[in-house]
Amino acid sequence: MRILIVGSGGREHALAWKLAQSRSCEAILAAPGNAGTAELGRNLPVHDSDLDALCDAAESNRIDLVVVGPEAPLAAGLVDALSERGILAFGPSQSAAQIESSKWFAKSIMQSAGVPHARGELFETPQAAHKWLEILGPDDLPVLKADGLAAGKGVIVPDHIDDAHDAVDQMFAGAFGSAGERVVIEDRLSGMEASAMAVVSGTDILPLPLSCDYKRIMDRDQGPNTGGMGVYAPPGFMSGFVGDADDVFATIHQPVADQMTAEGCEFRGLLYAGLMIDDGALNVLEFNARFGDPETQAVLPLLDGDLLPVLEASARGHALPRDAISHSGRASVSVAIVSGGYPGPYETGRPIHGLNAVDEAVDIFHAGTAIDDDGRTVTAGGRVLAVTAVADTLAEARGIAYDNVRKITFDGAFHRTDIALREVPP
Ligand code: AMP
Ligand code: GLY
């Protein structure tokens, strides 16, 4: 099969890397891709927001399967547009992608499906939202969410009720564009967070290993949120809290998939649940309608077998071939190396050294990288690389990952030093 991967991050390089190993893969193309995907195939100069150009590129390059990485083209209807032209694509329709693109849609599905989640209300005017905040008790701090897609920034977790009122004003004043025209205010939950991804084809689900990402820029979860500074899989604390990992998928993904099918918006693609686990209680914080980034960079290296027939079956709405992939039972740690200044302003075009010095056992997934006019691999984004190591234990994987992170250098390079540390005995 000829495969086109849409997107340009570490997730897309990891998908390209895994699919390139498939027996049935003839060619990998990426739009727009990065220096990592270019090593596996060919990059096309097409932005992932240009739906017409993506459809044209898929047609002219005789693509058999398009795999969509990011949420924005899914929410904009890329899979529908491709299917109108008879091109097979992995990912949900625009209607099913609402499980990510509307927080309120996701809540309604969870409510109907009996899936545990934070209780919340939808507000369409600032007056109604302020009124709601006024009747909360002094210790009842809420969480505010722009209903629509806000590039991962639409969630505000205030430390004081005055900040909650300010957040309402900002959201309705357009701080998140049209995403904030409707605001969801929900109960604040506490506990440990984990990510649960499953490939879904209608009511058929195929769970992938659980994982845990680190969103803040600095060690000990200090500083602003980022697109992800590292991830490990599987989280040991999940078995202690909720029993078997299969319970998670039976409690969440299966009822959601069943409910969406029953409501006439069947989900095909990757269903990602962001979980909060506290004292054995499991709640969903959010759904994504696509592979997580950076979770994918730690989870795909733990899969034995061929992912391509699984994605193809999901795209066709067929039963998923359960024997095509299996979990290796090993552990992985993936550490992001980012540009100095990220998630604020940062410089690009810095040559990256040491990429060939890393151990063979380690996988380097590119995110913001490019090849410059002199043929050098240079930085081209905030998150630059993810260094992933797989081993029998998290402690070993962590040791190997950091040994290799230290071999890669560029001006201003920065990484967290505590990825997976909480799972490793001192
Ligand atoms: P989301 O985009 O919904 O995952 O939200 C981003 C982050 O906000 C999550 O990873 C949590 O850390 C936090 N968050 C979201 N919803 C809640 C909630 N109901 N209670 C506490 N924290 C939350
Ligand atoms: N790692 C969180 C996400 O992919 O949205």
Side-chain angles (χ1 to χ4, degrees), residues 85-393:
R85 296 218 207 167
I87 301 162
L88 191 65
F90 175 79
S93 65
Q94 184 174 33
S95 148
Q98 287 181 92
I99 195 83
E100 174 166 11
S101 66
S102 166
K103 303 274 186 197
W104 189 246
F105 177 89
K107 246 186 215 320
S108 319
I109 294 283
M110 286 191 278
Q111 185 75 38
S112 310
V115 168
H117 62 286
R119 278 181 312 134
E121 294 284 333
L122 177 70
F123 298 95
E124 307 202 42
T125 66
Q127 292 79 5
H130 285 302
K131 213 164 153 191
W132 178 263
L133 292 178
E134 275 154 21
I135 56 169
L136 291 180
D139 298 326
D140 289 342
L141 279 173
V143 173
L144 297 97
K145 300 186 171 182
D147 181 53
L149 282 186
K153 299 189 177 68
V155 176
I156 294 179
V157 186
D159 288 327
H160 192 275
I161 196 71
D162 292 344
D163 300 337
H165 283 286
D166 288 348
V168 164
D169 289 333
Q170 283 166 22
M171 284 184 173
F172 281 106
F176 301 116
S178 59
E181 281 168 5
R182 307 196 315 160
V183 173
V184 174
I185 302 184
E186 68 182 35
D187 294 349
R188 180 160 178 172
L189 305 175
S190 58
M192 302 282 279
E193 288 185 45
S195 310
M197 302 193 285
V199 179
V200 175
S201 178
T203 57
D204 198 14
I205 68 169
L206 187 50
L208 303 183
L210 300 173
S211 58
C212 231
D213 77 338
Y214 289 71
K215 295 189 165 88
R216 303 293 190 99
I217 183 75
M218 312 261 272
D219 283 5
R220 295 188 305 283
D221 293 333
Q222 302 296 305
N225 267 333
T226 69
M229 293 298 293
V231 53
Y232 68 90
F237 67 84
M238 285 298 283
S239 46
F241 278 99
V242 284
D244 201 282
D246 289 346
D247 290 352
V248 173
F249 295 95
T251 308
I252 294 166
H253 297 68
Q254 190 66 59
V256 165
D258 293 347
Q259 184 67 30
M260 291 185 74
T261 301
E263 292 192 15
C265 67
E266 180 186 83
F267 191 94
R268 295 181 189 174
L270 192 290
L271 185 61
Y272 165 127
L275 312 176
M276 185 77 97
I277 300 98
D278 191 22
D279 266 347
L282 179 69
N283 278 287
V284 176
L285 295 182
E286 63 159 349
F287 282 110
N288 293 325
R290 38 127 189 122
F291 280 96
D293 190 339
E295 286 89 340
T296 304
Q297 294 88 303
V299 166
L300 294 190
L302 293 180
L303 294 180
D304 289 334
D306 193 344
L307 185 63
L308 181 52
V310 178
L311 301 193
E312 183 188 355
S314 164
R316 293 190 191 283
H318 291 172
L320 300 170
R322 320 201 77 75
D323 297 338
I325 51 170
S326 60
H327 300 194
S328 68
R330 305 184 84 203
S332 67
V333 173
S334 181
V335 180
I337 309 180
V338 306
S339 296
Y342 174 79
Y346 53 82
E347 302 205 355
T348 58
R350 302 294 174 91
I352 303 169
H353 306 286
L355 286 171
N356 295 325
V358 298
D359 297 346
E360 249 176 52
V362 165
D363 293 305
I364 306 291
F365 296 119
H366 291 234
T369 65
I371 308 290
D372 74 2
D373 293 342
D374 300 324
R376 300 177 303 181
T377 305
V378 297
T379 64
R383 286 187 298 160
V384 176
L385 298 164
V387 177
T388 301
V390 176
D392 289 337
T393 65

